[in-house]
Amino acid sequence: YVFKQNGENVESGDAVIFVEEDEELKSLGSVEVTDGLLSFNEQLIGMDAGVYSYGVRVTDDNGNSFEFEDYGIFSIESNIDFTVEVSDEILNPGEEFTVYGEVDSYNSVTVLVLYDKSYEAEVTEDNTYSVTLTIPSDAAPQAHEIQISVEDDYGNAGTGSVVIFVNQLATSLKNELSSVDFLPAETLTAATKILDQTGTEMTGKVNIDVYDPSGGELYSGQHSAGEEIEFVFAKYSLPGDYEYVASYEELEKTTELEIAKVKETSYYVRGDVLYFTNEGNVLYEDTVTVYLISTVDGDKKTYIVEEEVSLQPGGKTQIDLSEEVPSGEYEVVVDDGLGTIDISKIDEESLATVIESEIPEEEIETVEVS
């Protein structure tokens, strides 16, 4: 209400409402004074947050005026209050969760949620909001802060945050083997690591199994993750594809191994008998040729003994030499048919000499045949 000095109402005139901003007076607007009453109702846009002192300058129709400085104060707040919650606070990689809350604002607002990237939440007419997010499959196992920002069209804003925790989850197994190609009797050195979603090693117990080509179990045991183990293949392990299988909870990692085919023999002589063994890991089926070389009065003579032999890996047979040659002293050389020596083009006269020159001394045995 506006009165004259005599107490009467100012019947008509104009009033200007003003504030001081940056040491300058700024008009907020003007209204008419009618029957001593002025009413000012204005939406203040573009003013910074803070406390303001306002004044009123009234001028009546006769040009009389008065300025009422510091008539009152008001404050402008630009902060928007809001709540924020999450559907789950402890999550696994790959799981979904919802960020939601309520905004205390009379104006339409935009809500942005920042996690691995920025997401715009859906805001309803009653100013509640929500957005569903997914934990990345490679999220680090630790606490993660989710930031929320709210803003309306007038620049009013608010920020907040909420914390979730991502579990460490065993995601993969890593087999580390000394080799994948082996010969019988060789040693496999291996270790299996448990890796989480970021590739970091975890602790735990890993089940280890080794299977032969037929699916038979050669080894089974439980070991700490990363622990090095040794497994020795049998001397006569069958050739083919083997499997090293590691498992932990629902995870499984299989590494293919291969044992090569080995064709190998050995022999030794005791008394009149030659003992012949299949040292390989495949069936030996061939002709064994035994050369018995004698020297009498400077003349060399070679006797050839042939026998068809069929032996499983590790199998052994014997040849009685006393039944094949006359009594005497002989140097013995055995051709197993596997390419150890090649005498196919040597005539009988020079055969004994050639064998002596090509076979290392340590591989020639002398036997007394009765």
Side-chain angles (χ1 to χ4, degrees):
Y1 290 90
V2 185
F3 304 96
K4 298 178 183 180
Q5 286 185 342
N6 61 9
E8 295 179 358
N9 289 341
V10 175
E11 294 179 359
S12 63
D14 294 310
V16 176
I17 301 4
F18 61 89
V19 295
E20 183 177 342
E21 188 175 50
D22 297 330
E23 299 183 355
E24 292 184 1
L25 295 180
K26 177 181 178 180
S27 172
L28 298 182
S30 62
V31 294
E32 292 184 357
V33 178
T34 305
D35 293 331
L37 178 65
L38 70 86
S39 178
F40 179 80
N41 182 22
E42 188 74 20
Q43 186 176 28
L44 302 180
I45 300 174
M47 293 183 66
D48 295 332
V51 178
Y52 292 85
S53 173
Y54 69 91
V56 181
R57 181 186 298 113
V58 180
T59 303
D60 65 13
D61 290 344
N62 297 319
N64 301 306
S65 69
F66 192 82
E67 191 171 285
F68 302 90
E69 295 182 0
D70 300 327
Y71 188 75
I73 61 173
F74 64 87
S75 63
I76 295 179
E77 295 181 357
S78 63
N79 182 65
I80 299 178
D81 293 325
F82 64 95
T83 62
V84 56
E85 297 183 61
V86 289
S87 56
D88 294 288
E89 294 181 347
I90 301 176
L91 300 119
N92 291 327
E95 286 188 338
E96 289 187 344
F97 67 103
T98 301
V99 180
Y100 63 95
E102 186 174 353
V103 182
D104 184 12
S105 174
Y106 296 102
N107 303 310
S108 62
V109 294
T110 300
V111 180
L112 295 179
V113 179
L114 181 64
Y115 179 36
D116 57 324
K117 61 180 181 179
S118 182
Y119 301 86
E120 184 172 342
E122 180 180 354
V123 182
T124 63
E125 292 182 357
D126 59 356
N127 276 359
T128 60
Y129 70 91
S130 66
V131 61
T132 299
L133 309 178
T134 302
I135 301 294
S137 59
D138 59 350
Q142 62 186 34
H144 292 252
E145 183 181 38
I146 300 173
Q147 298 180 344
I148 298 92
S149 62
V150 180
E151 186 173 359
D152 64 16
D153 294 337
Y154 302 108
N156 300 305
T159 59
S161 64
V162 66
V163 174
I164 60 171
F165 187 84
V166 177
N167 291 321
Q168 187 179 41
L169 191 67
T171 305
S172 62
L173 301 177
K174 183 180 181 181
N175 292 336
E176 295 183 344
L177 282 64
S178 56
S179 177
V180 293
D181 298 308
F182 295 91
L183 295 173
E186 286 189 335
T187 300
L188 163 66
T189 303
T192 297
K193 296 179 179 179
I194 305 172
L195 305 179
D196 70 8
Q197 62 267 30
T198 64
T200 302
E201 290 186 40
M202 296 177 57
T203 59
K205 294 291 186 180
V206 183
N207 297 313
I208 304 296
D209 297 283
V210 180
Y211 297 97
D212 65 18
S214 64
E217 187 178 79
L218 299 179
Y219 175 81
S220 181
Q222 190 176 73
H223 300 271
S224 298
E227 177 187 353
E228 191 173 88
I229 64 171
E230 289 187 348
F231 175 78
V232 181
F233 291 104
K235 180 177 180 180
Y236 301 113
S237 296
L238 296 176
D241 295 327
Y242 289 65
E243 288 185 343
Y244 174 95
V245 181
S247 59
Y248 173 77
E249 295 180 348
E250 302 300 321
L251 300 175
E252 185 174 287
K253 178 68 173 180
T254 299
T255 301
E256 299 287 340
L257 313 175
E258 183 177 4
I259 292 185
K261 293 181 179 180
V262 175
K263 295 181 178 180
E264 184 179 345
T265 64
S266 67
Y267 72 91
Y268 63 91
V269 180
R270 292 292 180 266
D272 301 340
V273 180
L274 183 144
Y275 297 90
F276 185 86
T277 304
N278 179 10
E279 303 287 3
N281 62 350
V282 293
L283 173 70
Y284 175 86
E285 200 164 28
D286 211 328
T287 300
V288 176
T289 305
V290 183
Y291 300 94
L292 297 115
I293 308 162
S294 66
T295 304
V296 179
D297 297 331
D299 294 328
K300 291 188 176 182
K301 187 171 183 180
T302 301
Y303 293 88
I304 300 176
V305 178
E306 293 183 336
E307 185 165 327
E308 295 295 325
V309 174
S310 179
L311 295 174
Q312 294 293 336
K316 180 183 292 188
T317 188
Q318 57 190 47
I319 302 173
D320 190 345
L321 301 177
S322 64
E323 298 178 356
E324 307 294 340
V325 295
S327 61
E329 186 177 273
Y330 296 88
E331 292 177 347
V332 178
V333 175
V334 176
D335 180 9
D336 56 10
L338 300 179
T340 306
I341 58 175
D342 182 10
I343 47 80
S344 60
K345 298 180 181 179
I346 307 300
D347 58 75
E348 189 174 321
E349 285 188 348
S350 59
L351 181 60
T353 304
V354 171
I355 289 178
E356 268 197 327
S357 65
E358 290 192 352
I359 302 302
E361 192 68 33
E362 61 271 13
E363 294 186 14
I364 299 179
E365 295 192 39
T366 301
V367 56
E368 183 73 29
V369 179
S370 61

